[in-house]
Amino acid sequence: MQPVDSHLFLVVGAALFSIGLAVVLLKRHAIVVLMGIELMLNAVNINLVAFSQYDPDRLQGQMLSLFVMVVAAAESAIALAIVLQVYRHFRTAQLDELNELNY
């Protein structure tokens, strides 16, 4: 089995990050924006693992990627809880319609 060239991982990571950034910038629904942020974090993980092959220990990139996944899971849980509370109060998850922050 032939090893996959590392620049393909970088291309996939750049494509995923670009798609996630476009989703964050163009979409106005809070859940979809969260999905775009998660896509960008996964693109960073792909790049971390791709660059870790140049590390002589070959473990630091994977460990940092695992840390990013744990932080992303915590971020998702907190963000979804906030979106749920915002939806209960304002009856919408559209970011354009949320223009007041007071109760």
Side-chain angles (χ1 to χ4, degrees):
M1 185 171 183
Q2 202 169 22
V4 179
D5 199 10
S6 65
H7 76 277
L8 293 176
F9 290 114
L10 299 178
V11 168
V12 170
L16 284 177
F17 190 86
S18 299
I19 292 169
L21 183 63
V23 166
V24 168
L25 293 177
L26 297 176
K27 297 297 180 181
R28 298 294 173 226
H29 196 273
I31 301 294
V32 177
V33 170
L34 287 175
M35 289 170 40
I37 291 171
E38 293 299 320
L39 199 58
M40 287 192 293
L41 288 173
N42 285 327
V44 169
N45 287 337
I46 288 174
N47 284 336
L48 284 172
V49 172
F51 282 122
S52 71
Q53 72 176 347
Y54 300 112
D55 186 19
D57 296 333
R58 293 186 184 233
L59 193 57
Q60 294 174 352
Q62 286 90 351
M63 294 304 291
L64 190 57
S65 178
L66 184 64
F67 177 73
V68 169
M69 283 190 277
V70 169
V71 170
E75 172 259 332
S76 294
I78 293 171
L80 286 175
I82 291 171
V83 169
L84 184 63
Q85 290 300 318
V86 166
Y87 181 78
R88 283 183 183 167
H89 182 72
F90 293 105
R91 294 289 176 205
T92 184
Q94 297 293 326
L95 297 175
D96 289 341
E97 297 174 10
L98 302 173
N99 54 8
E100 63 182 56
L101 293 176
N102 56 357
Y103 256 156

